[in-house]
Amino acid sequence: MDIDSIVQELALSEIKIVSVVGAGISKASGMPTFRGKDGMWNQYRASDLATPYAFQKDPRLVWEWYRARMRLLLDAKPNPAHKALTNLEREGLAIGIVTQNVDGLHEIAESKNIVEVHGRIRYARCSLCNYIERWDSKEKSLKDSDLPYCPNCEKQIIRPDVVWFGEQIESKRWDKAIEWTLEATIMLVIGTSGVVVPVSSLPIFAKKNNIKVIEFNIETTPISSISDYSIFGPCEETLPVFTQKIIEISRRQ
Ligand code: BV8
């Protein structure tokens, strides 16, 4: 089915959209994905870099990886896919964005209703005294050598403010993701491989609540089989077309 026909179908009922987003949306902004072609997990092992144990074992290596990602991020800008979601929100058609991404690009694209379920790479925090500070500056991201101790309690090495494998997602973030899903009539699932729990369960939960699921990806994923529609192609191209059409049709209603 082409995008036009999908939008016609969707416009037969109320349009209230929740978006579930993964690393694929930021690919066009120059940020690498984790899986798939040239994904980061092809070069590194998540267990060496994105778990509390990895940080305990070799905090220098983990900081090196996060700083390398931060250096990429300092030049990254939101792309047309991020802006398409902001347009949906401005039109009153979007409830919110549940993002697995930690890059902060939705906020820079001026979306307001965002829940970053896997945290935020632009901040670092102390797991002892909960001190928190911004980390997206050149000098912090360039210093590969030293380990940053907490300037507040001076006892602990501060860590990226992200959720690692084996760590719980903050309940208020997860509750918000569930709340927005239950409020929605449509879920857009954009640029995610659909393998990381618990976010990968959201489209299944949506289907159980009679919510239409539309997937935007460049290839099939485990979510494709439960989606009402899959729109294949780079989301920085397909999503702006989709959102423009759904905005136009909703204005005519
Ligand atoms: C938890 C850190 C409860 C921040 C990340 C065994 C079986 C099942 C589950 C588990 C298991 N063992 C452990 C688990 C649980 C584990 C998990 O799901 N593991 C998976 C890998 C099997 N989950 C957890 O640990 C979570 N916590 O469950 O808590 C608990 C706690 C303790 C004890 C028991 C239970 C925490 C998960 C969070 C992990 N942190 N990142 C950071 O540094 O970034 S996850 C990491 O993966 C990123 O956050 C990333 O966003 C996320 C998901 O990946 P995607 O976003 O989907 O990205 P990916 O590269 O995979 O895919 C990109 C997609 O885009 C592809 O489909 C590609 O085709 C597409 N694409 C590319 N270009 C484009 C495009 N699409 C459109 N347009 C394009 N241009």
Short mmCIF file of all heavy atoms in Angstrom, two decimals, residues 17-22 25 81-90 94-101 103 105-118 173 176-177 180-181 187-188 190 199 202 239:
data_model
loop_
_atom_site.label_atom_id
_atom_site.label_comp_id
_atom_site.label_asym_id
_atom_site.label_seq_id
_atom_site.Cartn_x
_atom_site.Cartn_y
_atom_site.Cartn_z
N ILE A 17 -1.30 10.39 17.66
CA ILE A 17 -0.11 9.59 17.33
C ILE A 17 0.90 9.55 18.46
O ILE A 17 1.26 10.61 19.02
CB ILE A 17 0.56 10.18 16.06
CG1 ILE A 17 -0.38 10.00 14.84
CG2 ILE A 17 1.92 9.55 15.79
CD1 ILE A 17 0.06 10.77 13.61
N VAL A 18 1.36 8.34 18.79
CA VAL A 18 2.54 8.19 19.65
C VAL A 18 3.65 7.59 18.78
O VAL A 18 3.36 6.73 17.94
CB VAL A 18 2.25 7.30 20.88
CG1 VAL A 18 1.94 5.85 20.48
CG2 VAL A 18 3.45 7.30 21.84
N SER A 19 4.86 8.11 18.90
CA SER A 19 5.97 7.59 18.09
C SER A 19 6.95 6.85 18.99
O SER A 19 7.29 7.32 20.07
CB SER A 19 6.71 8.74 17.39
OG SER A 19 5.81 9.37 16.49
N VAL A 20 7.37 5.67 18.53
CA VAL A 20 8.41 4.89 19.24
C VAL A 20 9.61 4.87 18.31
O VAL A 20 9.51 4.44 17.16
CB VAL A 20 7.92 3.46 19.54
CG1 VAL A 20 9.05 2.61 20.12
CG2 VAL A 20 6.74 3.50 20.50
N VAL A 21 10.75 5.40 18.79
CA VAL A 21 11.85 5.74 17.90
C VAL A 21 13.14 5.03 18.31
O VAL A 21 13.38 4.81 19.49
CB VAL A 21 12.06 7.28 17.95
CG1 VAL A 21 13.24 7.72 17.13
CG2 VAL A 21 10.80 8.00 17.48
N GLY A 22 13.93 4.70 17.30
CA GLY A 22 15.25 4.07 17.56
C GLY A 22 16.34 4.76 16.76
O GLY A 22 16.11 5.78 16.10
N ILE A 25 16.52 6.73 13.18
CA ILE A 25 16.07 8.10 12.85
C ILE A 25 17.24 9.08 12.84
O ILE A 25 17.19 10.10 12.17
CB ILE A 25 14.97 8.57 13.82
CG1 ILE A 25 14.15 9.73 13.18
CG2 ILE A 25 15.54 9.04 15.17
CD1 ILE A 25 12.90 10.13 13.94
N ALA A 81 13.42 13.82 9.41
CA ALA A 81 12.56 12.87 10.16
C ALA A 81 12.26 13.44 11.55
O ALA A 81 11.11 13.41 12.01
CB ALA A 81 13.24 11.51 10.26
N HIS A 82 13.28 13.97 12.23
CA HIS A 82 13.04 14.58 13.55
C HIS A 82 12.04 15.74 13.40
O HIS A 82 11.11 15.88 14.19
CB HIS A 82 14.35 15.15 14.13
CG HIS A 82 15.39 14.13 14.45
ND1 HIS A 82 16.49 13.92 13.64
CD2 HIS A 82 15.53 13.25 15.48
CE1 HIS A 82 17.24 12.97 14.15
NE2 HIS A 82 16.69 12.54 15.28
N LYS A 83 12.24 16.53 12.37
CA LYS A 83 11.40 17.73 12.18
C LYS A 83 9.97 17.35 11.81
O LYS A 83 9.01 18.02 12.20
CB LYS A 83 12.00 18.64 11.12
CG LYS A 83 13.32 19.27 11.61
CD LYS A 83 14.00 20.12 10.59
CE LYS A 83 15.38 20.57 11.12
NZ LYS A 83 16.32 20.76 10.02
N ALA A 84 9.82 16.22 11.13
CA ALA A 84 8.47 15.75 10.76
C ALA A 84 7.67 15.46 12.03
O ALA A 84 6.48 15.78 12.13
CB ALA A 84 8.58 14.50 9.90
N LEU A 85 8.35 14.89 13.05
CA LEU A 85 7.65 14.59 14.31
C LEU A 85 7.30 15.88 15.05
O LEU A 85 6.24 16.00 15.66
CB LEU A 85 8.49 13.66 15.18
CG LEU A 85 8.74 12.26 14.61
CD1 LEU A 85 9.50 11.40 15.61
CD2 LEU A 85 7.44 11.57 14.21
N THR A 86 8.19 16.88 14.94
CA THR A 86 7.89 18.18 15.57
C THR A 86 6.66 18.81 14.89
O THR A 86 5.77 19.35 15.55
CB THR A 86 9.10 19.12 15.44
OG1 THR A 86 10.26 18.44 15.97
CG2 THR A 86 8.89 20.42 16.20
N ASN A 87 6.58 18.68 13.57
CA ASN A 87 5.42 19.24 12.84
C ASN A 87 4.11 18.56 13.27
O ASN A 87 3.09 19.22 13.45
CB ASN A 87 5.61 19.09 11.33
CG ASN A 87 6.76 19.93 10.82
OD1 ASN A 87 7.17 20.89 11.48
ND2 ASN A 87 7.31 19.57 9.66
N LEU A 88 4.16 17.25 13.45
CA LEU A 88 2.96 16.53 13.91
C LEU A 88 2.51 17.09 15.26
O LEU A 88 1.32 17.33 15.49
CB LEU A 88 3.29 15.04 14.10
CG LEU A 88 3.15 14.10 12.93
CD1 LEU A 88 3.39 12.66 13.41
CD2 LEU A 88 1.81 14.22 12.23
N GLU A 89 3.47 17.31 16.14
CA GLU A 89 3.16 17.82 17.49
C GLU A 89 2.57 19.23 17.39
O GLU A 89 1.55 19.54 18.01
CB GLU A 89 4.43 17.85 18.34
CG GLU A 89 4.22 18.23 19.79
CD GLU A 89 5.52 18.22 20.58
OE1 GLU A 89 6.30 19.17 20.43
OE2 GLU A 89 5.75 17.25 21.33
N ARG A 90 3.15 20.07 16.56
CA ARG A 90 2.66 21.46 16.41
C ARG A 90 1.24 21.47 15.84
O ARG A 90 0.45 22.36 16.13
CB ARG A 90 3.59 22.26 15.50
CG ARG A 90 4.88 22.64 16.19
CD ARG A 90 5.80 23.49 15.37
NE ARG A 90 7.02 23.81 16.15
CZ ARG A 90 8.19 24.05 15.59
NH1 ARG A 90 8.31 24.01 14.26
NH2 ARG A 90 9.25 24.30 16.33
N ALA A 94 0.09 14.80 17.61
CA ALA A 94 1.03 13.87 18.26
C ALA A 94 0.88 13.97 19.78
O ALA A 94 0.77 15.07 20.34
CB ALA A 94 2.46 14.19 17.87
N ILE A 95 0.88 12.82 20.43
CA ILE A 95 0.82 12.81 21.90
C ILE A 95 2.24 12.94 22.46
O ILE A 95 2.51 13.72 23.37
CB ILE A 95 0.20 11.47 22.41
CG1 ILE A 95 -1.22 11.33 21.87
CG2 ILE A 95 0.24 11.37 23.91
CD1 ILE A 95 -1.77 9.93 21.99
N GLY A 96 3.17 12.19 21.85
CA GLY A 96 4.55 12.28 22.34
C GLY A 96 5.47 11.31 21.61
O GLY A 96 5.02 10.47 20.82
N ILE A 97 6.76 11.44 21.89
CA ILE A 97 7.80 10.60 21.30
C ILE A 97 8.44 9.77 22.40
O ILE A 97 8.95 10.33 23.38
CB ILE A 97 8.89 11.45 20.63
CG1 ILE A 97 8.31 12.34 19.52
CG2 ILE A 97 10.01 10.57 20.06
CD1 ILE A 97 9.30 13.39 19.00
N VAL A 98 8.39 8.45 22.26
CA VAL A 98 9.11 7.55 23.17
C VAL A 98 10.39 7.17 22.43
O VAL A 98 10.34 6.46 21.42
CB VAL A 98 8.28 6.29 23.48
CG1 VAL A 98 9.06 5.33 24.38
CG2 VAL A 98 6.95 6.67 24.10
N THR A 99 11.53 7.74 22.87
CA THR A 99 12.75 7.48 22.12
C THR A 99 13.74 6.62 22.90
O THR A 99 13.90 6.81 24.10
CB THR A 99 13.45 8.78 21.65
OG1 THR A 99 14.53 8.43 20.77
CG2 THR A 99 13.95 9.62 22.80
N GLN A 100 14.34 5.67 22.18
CA GLN A 100 15.42 4.87 22.76
C GLN A 100 16.75 5.61 22.59
O GLN A 100 17.77 5.22 23.15
CB GLN A 100 15.53 3.51 22.07
CG GLN A 100 14.29 2.66 22.19
CD GLN A 100 14.36 1.43 21.32
OE1 GLN A 100 14.80 0.36 21.73
NE2 GLN A 100 13.94 1.58 20.09
N ASN A 101 16.72 6.64 21.79
CA ASN A 101 17.95 7.37 21.49
C ASN A 101 18.34 8.26 22.65
O ASN A 101 17.48 8.75 23.37
CB ASN A 101 17.79 8.21 20.21
CG ASN A 101 17.50 7.34 19.00
OD1 ASN A 101 17.74 6.13 19.04
ND2 ASN A 101 16.95 7.91 17.96
N ASP A 103 20.58 10.80 22.08
CA ASP A 103 21.34 11.89 21.43
C ASP A 103 20.71 13.27 21.58
O ASP A 103 21.31 14.27 21.19
CB ASP A 103 21.55 11.56 19.93
CG ASP A 103 20.23 11.31 19.16
OD1 ASP A 103 19.19 11.89 19.54
OD2 ASP A 103 20.24 10.51 18.20
N LEU A 105 18.46 14.75 19.94
CA LEU A 105 18.14 15.46 18.68
C LEU A 105 16.66 15.81 18.57
O LEU A 105 16.29 16.78 17.91
CB LEU A 105 18.60 14.62 17.47
CG LEU A 105 20.12 14.54 17.31
CD1 LEU A 105 20.49 13.61 16.15
CD2 LEU A 105 20.74 15.92 17.08
N HIS A 106 15.77 15.09 19.24
CA HIS A 106 14.34 15.47 19.20
C HIS A 106 14.15 16.82 19.88
O HIS A 106 13.38 17.65 19.43
CB HIS A 106 13.49 14.43 19.93
CG HIS A 106 13.47 13.08 19.30
ND1 HIS A 106 12.89 12.84 18.08
CD2 HIS A 106 13.96 11.91 19.73
CE1 HIS A 106 13.04 11.56 17.78
NE2 HIS A 106 13.68 10.97 18.76
N GLU A 107 14.85 17.02 20.99
CA GLU A 107 14.73 18.29 21.74
C GLU A 107 15.28 19.44 20.90
O GLU A 107 14.69 20.50 20.80
CB GLU A 107 15.51 18.18 23.05
CG GLU A 107 15.20 19.29 24.04
CD GLU A 107 15.95 19.08 25.37
OE1 GLU A 107 16.40 17.95 25.64
OE2 GLU A 107 16.10 20.07 26.11
N ILE A 108 16.40 19.20 20.23
CA ILE A 108 16.98 20.25 19.37
C ILE A 108 16.06 20.53 18.18
O ILE A 108 15.95 21.64 17.70
CB ILE A 108 18.40 19.84 18.90
CG1 ILE A 108 19.32 19.68 20.13
CG2 ILE A 108 19.00 20.85 17.93
CD1 ILE A 108 20.67 19.06 19.82
N ALA A 109 15.29 19.51 17.77
CA ALA A 109 14.31 19.70 16.67
C ALA A 109 13.05 20.38 17.20
O ALA A 109 12.08 20.54 16.47
CB ALA A 109 13.95 18.35 16.06
N GLU A 110 13.07 20.74 18.47
CA GLU A 110 12.01 21.49 19.14
C GLU A 110 10.72 20.69 19.36
O GLU A 110 9.64 21.26 19.50
CB GLU A 110 11.71 22.81 18.40
CG GLU A 110 12.90 23.74 18.43
CD GLU A 110 12.66 25.05 17.66
OE1 GLU A 110 11.51 25.33 17.28
OE2 GLU A 110 13.63 25.77 17.44
N SER A 111 10.85 19.36 19.41
CA SER A 111 9.72 18.57 19.92
C SER A 111 9.66 18.84 21.42
O SER A 111 10.68 19.06 22.07
CB SER A 111 9.94 17.08 19.66
OG SER A 111 9.69 16.77 18.31
N LYS A 112 8.43 18.81 21.98
CA LYS A 112 8.32 19.10 23.42
C LYS A 112 8.04 17.83 24.22
O LYS A 112 8.60 17.59 25.26
CB LYS A 112 7.17 20.11 23.64
CG LYS A 112 7.41 21.45 22.93
CD LYS A 112 8.42 22.33 23.62
CE LYS A 112 8.73 23.62 22.86
NZ LYS A 112 9.95 23.48 22.02
N ASN A 113 7.10 17.02 23.75
CA ASN A 113 6.70 15.84 24.51
C ASN A 113 7.57 14.64 24.13
O ASN A 113 7.28 13.91 23.17
CB ASN A 113 5.21 15.52 24.26
CG ASN A 113 4.32 16.64 24.77
OD1 ASN A 113 4.69 17.35 25.71
ND2 ASN A 113 3.19 16.84 24.13
N ILE A 114 8.63 14.48 24.91
CA ILE A 114 9.62 13.44 24.61
C ILE A 114 9.88 12.65 25.89
O ILE A 114 10.02 13.27 26.97
CB ILE A 114 10.97 14.07 24.18
CG1 ILE A 114 10.81 15.08 23.06
CG2 ILE A 114 12.00 12.98 23.80
CD1 ILE A 114 12.00 16.03 22.92
N VAL A 115 9.93 11.33 25.80
CA VAL A 115 10.45 10.59 26.95
C VAL A 115 11.65 9.77 26.46
O VAL A 115 11.55 9.01 25.49
CB VAL A 115 9.37 9.73 27.64
CG1 VAL A 115 8.79 8.65 26.76
CG2 VAL A 115 9.89 9.12 28.94
N GLU A 116 12.80 10.04 27.07
CA GLU A 116 14.06 9.37 26.68
C GLU A 116 14.26 8.15 27.57
O GLU A 116 14.91 8.21 28.61
CB GLU A 116 15.23 10.36 26.82
CG GLU A 116 15.11 11.56 25.87
CD GLU A 116 16.05 12.71 26.22
OE1 GLU A 116 15.99 13.20 27.36
OE2 GLU A 116 16.84 13.09 25.36
N VAL A 117 13.65 7.04 27.17
CA VAL A 117 13.59 5.87 28.07
C VAL A 117 14.99 5.30 28.35
O VAL A 117 15.20 4.67 29.38
CB VAL A 117 12.68 4.76 27.52
CG1 VAL A 117 11.21 5.17 27.63
CG2 VAL A 117 13.02 4.39 26.09
N HIS A 118 15.95 5.52 27.44
CA HIS A 118 17.29 4.99 27.69
C HIS A 118 18.26 6.07 28.15
O HIS A 118 19.48 5.88 28.14
CB HIS A 118 17.85 4.32 26.43
CG HIS A 118 17.15 3.04 26.10
ND1 HIS A 118 17.30 2.39 24.90
CD2 HIS A 118 16.26 2.30 26.80
CE1 HIS A 118 16.55 1.30 24.88
NE2 HIS A 118 15.90 1.23 26.02
N ARG A 173 9.52 7.26 33.56
CA ARG A 173 9.66 7.33 32.08
C ARG A 173 8.82 6.22 31.45
O ARG A 173 8.09 6.42 30.48
CB ARG A 173 11.13 7.15 31.69
CG ARG A 173 12.02 8.33 32.03
CD ARG A 173 13.48 8.00 31.76
NE ARG A 173 14.37 9.15 31.95
CZ ARG A 173 15.70 9.03 32.05
NH1 ARG A 173 16.26 7.83 32.00
NH2 ARG A 173 16.47 10.10 32.20
N LYS A 176 5.12 6.89 31.56
CA LYS A 176 4.75 7.89 30.56
C LYS A 176 4.61 7.21 29.19
O LYS A 176 3.67 7.47 28.45
CB LYS A 176 5.83 8.98 30.52
CG LYS A 176 5.58 10.17 29.63
CD LYS A 176 4.33 10.91 29.98
CE LYS A 176 4.47 11.94 31.05
NZ LYS A 176 3.14 12.55 31.34
N ALA A 177 5.52 6.32 28.88
CA ALA A 177 5.47 5.60 27.58
C ALA A 177 4.18 4.80 27.48
O ALA A 177 3.51 4.80 26.44
CB ALA A 177 6.69 4.69 27.46
N TRP A 180 1.10 7.27 27.18
CA TRP A 180 0.96 7.83 25.83
C TRP A 180 0.47 6.77 24.86
O TRP A 180 -0.32 7.06 23.96
CB TRP A 180 2.29 8.41 25.36
CG TRP A 180 2.64 9.72 26.01
CD1 TRP A 180 1.85 10.48 26.82
CD2 TRP A 180 3.89 10.42 25.92
NE1 TRP A 180 2.52 11.60 27.22
CE2 TRP A 180 3.78 11.59 26.69
CE3 TRP A 180 5.11 10.16 25.27
CZ2 TRP A 180 4.82 12.51 26.82
CZ3 TRP A 180 6.14 11.08 25.38
CH2 TRP A 180 6.00 12.24 26.16
N THR A 181 0.93 5.53 25.02
CA THR A 181 0.49 4.47 24.11
C THR A 181 -1.01 4.25 24.27
O THR A 181 -1.76 4.18 23.29
CB THR A 181 1.25 3.16 24.41
OG1 THR A 181 2.65 3.39 24.23
CG2 THR A 181 0.79 2.03 23.51
N MET A 187 0.34 4.26 16.35
CA MET A 187 1.74 4.23 16.84
C MET A 187 2.66 4.16 15.61
O MET A 187 2.49 3.26 14.77
CB MET A 187 1.99 3.01 17.74
CG MET A 187 3.45 2.88 18.17
SD MET A 187 3.77 1.41 19.19
CE MET A 187 3.25 2.05 20.81
N LEU A 188 3.56 5.13 15.52
CA LEU A 188 4.60 5.07 14.48
C LEU A 188 5.83 4.44 15.12
O LEU A 188 6.27 4.89 16.17
CB LEU A 188 4.94 6.48 13.97
CG LEU A 188 3.77 7.38 13.54
CD1 LEU A 188 4.33 8.72 13.01
CD2 LEU A 188 2.87 6.70 12.53
N ILE A 190 9.65 3.85 14.42
CA ILE A 190 10.56 4.47 13.45
C ILE A 190 12.02 4.11 13.74
O ILE A 190 12.54 4.39 14.82
CB ILE A 190 10.41 6.01 13.50
CG1 ILE A 190 8.94 6.43 13.32
CG2 ILE A 190 11.30 6.68 12.47
CD1 ILE A 190 8.61 7.81 13.85
N VAL A 199 11.29 -1.80 25.38
CA VAL A 199 10.66 -0.92 24.37
C VAL A 199 10.06 -1.75 23.23
O VAL A 199 9.00 -1.44 22.70
CB VAL A 199 11.67 0.11 23.83
CG1 VAL A 199 11.09 0.87 22.65
CG2 VAL A 199 12.07 1.08 24.93
N LEU A 202 6.36 -2.47 23.21
CA LEU A 202 5.33 -1.43 23.07
C LEU A 202 4.42 -1.64 21.84
O LEU A 202 3.20 -1.54 21.96
CB LEU A 202 5.97 -0.04 23.03
CG LEU A 202 6.41 0.54 24.38
CD1 LEU A 202 7.12 1.88 24.18
CD2 LEU A 202 5.24 0.71 25.34
N LEU A 239 9.15 9.60 6.25
CA LEU A 239 8.36 10.17 7.36
C LEU A 239 7.85 11.58 7.03
O LEU A 239 6.66 11.87 7.27
CB LEU A 239 9.19 10.17 8.65
CG LEU A 239 8.44 10.44 9.95
CD1 LEU A 239 7.31 9.44 10.18
CD2 LEU A 239 9.39 10.42 11.15
#
